DNA sequence: TGATATAAGTGTTATTATTACACTTAAGTA
DNA sequence: TACTTAAGTGTAATAATAACACTTATATCA
């Protein structure tokens, strides 16, 4: 700290905040986890999960702490999206905010937690307006998600360990926001050879039932290491 | 400011810095513009162009100001890459640094400026070690550049207004770091129908000379707006 | 218990995109 | 005028994508 004073003390300092964009997938829909802001300004309005960077913590740690404090979610892999630093983005003063985002299986976030923390899944189709520049954060996060989904097998980690092909297809359709041909989808996804078919069926969606599959991480790793790039 | 005090004053503030990663393309090679750092700590060591965010300026503006002050470059479109906030990234104290990057035509940066500002183009192949985490910033910037190049016609804006197809191909080869078939390259690039052939030839690279082309921005915009996505 | 409704599952063909590959041409220099 | 060098050109084989409709399994209801 003494050294810091020596070199940099003439420069101004700023509040640094973190905002967490949590996308989830549930019942064939892409959703966003939001809550009503707990502090002024804009208290009570819909907001992403945000808070301030503290002394002695890295940006990643801060984002994870804030998410945990506000939602109870732990061990979520979030990725930095963008840093927002416009002068007027926060009416209460200059705040530089680093936005992080993650896509999680919505089934991981229980009703119980939702009640306890007041965090709510809202379908992207009927998203309310969010405070400050949170809308544009979400928009940017969604753009990246779509781009990602079309080149990485992003979906596998978002479903329960065992899932059906129609479920996986619904996930991709939700991300792309368009319909896919089920024969072509099945062909493509199976040709990657990273799914293991099980003997059981899931009958929650049809009388006939759909066979359950499991994602083979070892094979997946091998493919990726060999430079294979996925495209749906 | 009064309002700011009211709500946020209990939170700590941080130094916020900007670092500029400037890639350039010249003589068939990808290069990086760097200089020897002018202030402590690490004064005199190779570094990206960095400086501190000032009161009353946005991140973008600050990045542009810093680039201008240290290199003389103006009106460069830089894009935010990532924000670095590890505790120990700067030995002189806690600094949150937002990295911006750009790819520019190296011919835009004259010898004269280079002498005046002490900024030097260095081929990526023989890059010296850079201070702090600047190496990983460059690495990340390069990864993004490669990804970009394969899906957007990024190259057009990096060459002089008039350029030849072999020059354009050399640029893509430099970014991908691999050879491309000239017949296939030409076919693909011309099939996009965004280049206008001129009557003159450029004879700087061969006796025969290669026809000059110009990038048709109007057609390009139309294509992009119609949802076309480029792939080389 | 047989009819019905519903989602799962299955192949083939046409079209398009990608890759591989070798000779000719233009023009300056010796 | 022969030589050298990079620019320029076409085709065929292969692979990837897109379009398309019927059958199957099984729970539910008459």
């Amino acid at each position: 700290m003494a050294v810091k004073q020596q070199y940099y003390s003439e420069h101004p300092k700023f509040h640094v905040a973190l905002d967490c964009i949590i996308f989830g997938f549930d019942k064939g829909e892409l959703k966003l986890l939001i809550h009503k802001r707990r502090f002024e300004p804009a208290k009570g309005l819909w907001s992403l999960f945000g808070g301030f960077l503290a002394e002695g913590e890295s940006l990643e740690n801060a984002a994870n702490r804030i998410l945990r404090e506000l939602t109870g979610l732990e061990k979520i892999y979030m990725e930095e999206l963008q840093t927002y630093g416009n002068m007027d983005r926060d009416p209460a003063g200059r705040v530089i905010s680093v936005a992080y985002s993650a896509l999680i299986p919505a089934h991981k976030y229980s009703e119980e937690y939702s009640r306890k923390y007041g965090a709510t899944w809202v379908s992207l189709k009927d998203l309310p307006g969010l405070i400050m520049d949170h809308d544009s954060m979400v928009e940017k996060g969604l753009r990246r998600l779509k781009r990602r989904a079309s080149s990485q097998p992003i979906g596998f980690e978002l479903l329960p360990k065992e899932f059906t092909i129609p479920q996986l297809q619904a996930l991709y359709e939700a991300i792309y926001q368009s319909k896919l041909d089920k024969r072509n989808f099945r062909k493509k996804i199976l040709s990657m050879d990273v799914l293991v078919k099980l003997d059981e069926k899931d009958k929650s969606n049809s009388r006939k039932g759909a066979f359950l599959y499991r994602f083979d991480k070892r094979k997946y790793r091998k493919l990726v290491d060999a430079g294979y790039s996925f495209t749906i």
Side-chain angles (χ1 to χ4, degrees), chain A:
Chain A
M1 292 300 107
V3 190
K4 174 179 176 178
Q5 294 294 329
Q6 192 182 330
Y7 298 127
Y8 297 156
S9 53
E10 75 270 24
H11 298 288
K13 291 174 153 193
F14 301 88
H15 283 117
V16 174
L18 293 303
D19 285 301
C20 303
I21 306 167
I22 308 297
F23 292 108
F25 174 69
D26 185 40
K27 304 202 185 75
E29 277 193 316
L30 256 192
K31 302 191 171 178
L32 182 69
L33 194 62
I34 51 178
H35 76 337
K36 290 190 172 158
R37 183 161 151 121
R38 306 242 183 97
F39 52 90
E40 293 291 353
K43 186 171 174 176
L45 301 187
W46 289 108
S47 165
L48 296 172
F49 305 99
F52 287 91
L53 178 65
E55 298 281 3
E57 80 183 339
S58 69
L59 295 172
E60 287 81 7
N61 288 348
N64 279 292
R65 168 184 58 76
I66 288 163
L67 187 65
R68 188 176 59 244
E69 287 173 3
L70 296 177
T71 67
L73 280 167
E74 293 205 70
K75 296 190 184 161
I76 298 299
Y77 172 71
M78 289 190 287
E79 189 174 18
E80 195 206 313
L81 184 65
Q82 178 154 17
T83 299
Y84 293 78
N86 277 350
M87 305 293 304
D88 54 357
R89 54 175 299 280
D90 189 323
R94 186 85 198 269
V95 178
I96 310 298
S97 177
V98 185
Y100 277 79
S101 100
L103 175 53
I104 69 171
H107 63 88
K108 264 205 178 173
Y109 197 66
S110 66
E111 276 295 320
E112 182 199 336
Y113 267 56
S114 181
R115 263 194 308 278
K116 182 169 163 198
Y117 286 92
T120 314
W121 285 114
V122 179
S123 166
L124 285 181
K125 280 162 201 154
D126 29 58
L127 203 58
L130 305 178
I131 60 163
M132 302 189 218
D133 49 7
H134 288 195
D135 285 318
S136 56
M137 293 180 181
V138 171
E139 203 181 301
K140 164 126 187 165
L142 194 57
R143 270 205 305 278
R144 178 181 290 187
L145 192 56
K146 283 186 194 173
R147 215 174 333 113
R148 274 306 151 78
S150 69
S151 64
Q152 285 164 248
I154 199 173
F156 301 126
E157 331 208 342
L158 300 178
L159 292 168
K161 277 210 187 56
E162 304 184 347
F163 53 87
T164 68
I165 302 230
Q167 276 166 21
L168 185 61
Q169 179 173 345
L171 168 58
Y172 275 93
E173 288 176 343
I175 294 176
Y176 290 139
Q177 320 206 307
S178 73
K179 283 277 160 198
L180 302 172
D181 178 282
K182 63 181 172 168
R183 276 169 293 193
N184 294 338
F185 180 81
R186 187 178 288 262
K187 202 187 312 173
K188 180 118 199 185
I189 217 84
L190 290 177
S191 76
M192 288 177 185
D193 195 32
V194 291
L195 296 190
V196 181
K197 188 175 182 175
L198 307 178
D199 287 332
E200 313 135 68
K201 280 185 163 186
D202 171 309
K203 296 195 176 166
S204 59
N205 276 301
S206 70
R207 309 189 200 292
K208 180 177 179 180
F211 279 102
L212 286 163
Y213 286 78
R214 197 188 281 276
F215 179 45
D216 184 335
K217 277 197 188 149
R218 268 229 306 263
K219 277 190 184 168
Y220 169 57
R221 269 284 130 230
K222 253 196 217 165
L223 273 182
V224 170
D225 293 348
Y228 186 88
S229 106
F230 292 82
T231 312
I232 296 290

